[in-house]
Amino acid sequence: MIYLDYSATTPVNLEVLTSFEKVAKDYIGNPNSLHKLGSDSYELMNRAIEQMASLLNVKSNELIFTSGATEANNLAIKGICYKYQNRGKHIITTKLEHSSVSEVMHYLSNRGFEISYVNLLDNGLVDIEHLKSLIRDDTILVSICHVNSEVGIVQPINEIGKALKKYSKLFFHVDGTQAVGKIPVDLTNIDLYSFSSHKIYGLKGVGCLFKQASIDLEPLLHGGKSQSIYRAGTPSLALIVSFSKALRLSLENLDEKYEHIKKLNDLIRNELSKYEHIKINSNEHCLPHILNISYVGINSETFMHALEQHGIYVSSQTACSKLDGPSKTIMALYNDKKRAISSIRISLSHLTTEEEINLFLKCFDVEYEALSAVLGE
Ligand code: PMP
């Protein structure tokens, strides 16, 4: 098997799994129980959260644990909109968002909120001048993904955050799910930032929302005392501890891992650009972890399943958007439907080897030739 779908989810790091297992076995108390078992769990939870906060250079009361980035994005966007709707009902976002942001925008637009989409420059980066021109008196939120999940475009969130600082009535939310553990993240100019454990070799079922301490939110879940007043429910201690470990490990040797992945990306890019019907959708502003291509004329799923016969796993668009038709990201970037219905995402890890890529390229060639007969028909 050659797994090239690391942006959909990553295999769990065994050290992380061991820490999950150990905590789940040894710490049976509810962190909110007042007896010793409870306080032992509470202390461990706080230590894990403090470690995570120090890795991100934020305060521990600024981290809210959720079930994943989908919930973190929902909490950030709906939480701000419900809390601050008396200030205004205008939101600005991009056409490059993951469905856990774009679907929330759709939901809110049916409930009296107005959504504006910022223009993208030809290179796919947000047009900051246009963004500033969209800001109105009733704008309460700007939400922009740090790294797009389909093609990997990295937005200059720091520059955007700085530009937004002077608009004191609005908040800046960033979906950082595809960025954390891949590139350094600086949260100084960001109000809210979402990310997820299963994208960084942690377990599925836990995510996090960073929220600057001074900002208030309307919770989505109401109930008893929890890890945060913004999210009720018994804290999942073992998931939180293992998430903290996953984050620490993912940030180790970041540069080295990046360089390894960049080398593999260059290798694939060089080889695939020789094929007549292949268009490379990821440009120089994209993370090397994601390489998106289109075999123009061949439907994404057809090519994906052709590779699957060789035990090679890639994505058609993203795992979360499989029923959505042409890729919205590719449409936003290239406005080309043929390209948008044939896009494939190859996503790489520091665990990916050159041998795997060479084998992938051989199988790619076989399937490219086989399917080119279909193009000729
Ligand atoms: N945002 C982005 C950019 C993502 O790639 C994903 C996962 N595909 C999510 C949000 C949702 O994350 P989760 O699976 O943790 O809910």
Side-chain angles (χ1 to χ4, degrees):
M1 176 188 79
I2 302 179
Y3 186 68
L4 298 175
D5 201 14
Y6 289 93
S7 288
T9 194
T10 54
V12 67
N13 181 314
L14 294 184
E15 272 186 67
V16 172
L17 188 58
T18 305
S19 112
F20 173 84
E21 212 184 336
K22 201 166 161 10
V23 174
K25 268 199 218 141
D26 296 348
Y27 289 79
I28 61 163
N30 184 326
N32 293 323
S33 291
L34 297 177
H35 48 64
K36 174 151 176 12
L37 294 181
S39 60
D40 285 352
S41 293
Y42 184 74
E43 274 167 31
L44 180 65
M45 181 173 81
N46 282 349
R47 280 206 303 278
I49 298 175
E50 269 162 28
Q51 171 179 267
M52 214 153 154
S54 101
L55 290 167
L56 295 167
N57 216 2
V58 300
K59 300 187 208 96
S60 46
N61 68 349
E62 294 181 315
L63 299 179
I64 307 165
F65 288 86
T66 62
S67 60
T70 298
E71 188 189 327
N73 283 336
N74 271 261
L75 176 58
I77 300 168
K78 290 179 192 159
I80 288 290
C81 287
Y82 295 159
K83 193 79 203 176
Y84 296 95
Q85 54 186 316
N86 54 336
R87 282 189 192 175
K89 290 189 152 194
H90 180 233
I91 310 171
I92 304 171
T93 188
T94 78
K95 292 262 170 148
L96 296 179
E97 302 303 310
H98 183 262
S99 51
S100 58
V101 169
S102 61
E103 286 302 314
V104 182
M105 297 301 170
H106 181 64
Y107 166 88
L108 289 172
S109 73
N110 288 328
R111 281 157 186 81
F113 288 84
E114 192 187 334
I115 321 292
S116 297
Y117 293 90
V118 61
N119 288 346
L120 301 173
L121 302 170
D122 287 345
N123 58 15
L125 299 184
V126 162
D127 180 342
I128 299 180
E129 288 313 309
H130 183 241
L131 172 62
K132 287 196 261 183
S133 76
L134 287 175
I135 296 171
R136 316 188 308 215
D137 230 28
D138 61 342
T139 309
I140 54 169
L141 180 68
V142 174
S143 182
I144 294 176
C145 62
H146 193 172
V147 173
N148 164 271
S149 55
E150 269 185 67
V151 299
I153 291 193
V154 187
Q155 296 295 344
I157 56 157
N158 244 316
E159 202 185 324
I160 299 172
K162 275 187 200 150
L164 294 178
K165 274 273 176 250
K166 67 171 188 216
Y167 303 92
S168 57
K169 279 186 8 193
L170 65 78
F171 300 100
F172 181 33
H173 167 246
V174 175
D175 175 3
T177 314
Q178 294 289 350
V180 170
K182 295 178 182 142
I183 46 173
V185 170
D186 175 2
L187 298 177
T188 320
N189 297 307
I190 315 296
D191 293 320
L192 305 117
Y193 193 88
S194 318
F195 58 105
S196 188
S197 154
H198 75 96
K199 306 285 185 183
I200 56 168
Y201 308 88
L203 285 151
K204 292 153 186 62
V206 62
C208 187
L209 176 66
F210 156 76
K211 176 192 72 63
Q212 295 258 4
S214 60
I215 300 170
D216 209 1
L217 273 187
E218 190 62 37
L220 299 183
L221 303 182
H222 299 87
K225 190 165 176 250
S226 186
Q227 174 265 328
S228 160
I229 57 163
Y230 299 103
R231 207 273 192 179
T234 303
S236 179
L237 181 64
L239 283 177
I240 292 173
V241 172
S242 66
F243 189 7
S244 181
K245 181 151 201 162
L247 181 65
R248 179 170 66 72
L249 295 174
S250 77
L251 298 176
E252 278 176 3
N253 309 319
L254 211 53
D255 292 349
E256 231 171 86
K257 291 191 263 191
Y258 188 97
E259 282 314 310
H260 172 74
I261 293 167
K262 168 102 180 50
K263 214 173 107 199
L264 299 179
N265 181 304
D266 287 346
L267 175 62
I268 308 176
R269 198 177 270 272
N270 283 343
E271 286 307 312
L272 298 195
S273 55
K274 296 176 187 158
Y275 291 88
E276 187 189 347
H277 299 292
I278 297 294
K279 291 219 184 299
I280 308 245
N281 300 319
S282 299
N283 65 18
E284 71 279 11
H285 295 285
C286 295
L287 271 189
H289 304 65
I290 298 178
L291 183 60
N292 192 300
I293 60 160
S294 292
Y295 186 170
V296 180
I298 304 293
N299 190 289
S300 309
E301 287 195 20
T302 307
F303 198 44
M304 185 189 88
H305 290 307
L307 291 171
E308 192 176 353
Q309 289 170 25
H310 300 265
I312 294 171
Y313 295 91
V314 297
S315 266
S316 58
Q317 300 183 38
T318 70
C320 310
S321 59
K322 57 189 172 214
L323 299 174
D324 274 4
S327 155
K328 294 194 180 84
T329 295
I330 305 295
M331 284 306 285
L333 292 173
Y334 299 104
N335 195 22
D336 178 343
K337 197 162 171 211
K338 273 192 166 171
R339 209 161 159 167
I341 56 172
S342 59
S343 70
I344 292 276
R345 178 184 69 185
I346 301 156
S347 51
L348 306 168
S349 155
H350 58 283
L351 303 173
T352 311
T353 64
E354 202 169 320
E355 291 71 49
E356 284 183 312
I357 296 305
N358 285 330
L359 194 53
F360 159 74
L361 290 169
K362 271 196 192 127
C363 300
F364 184 98
D365 188 67
V366 169
E367 292 307 324
Y368 179 93
E369 291 306 331
L371 286 166
S372 69
V374 179
L375 284 182
E377 277 169 8

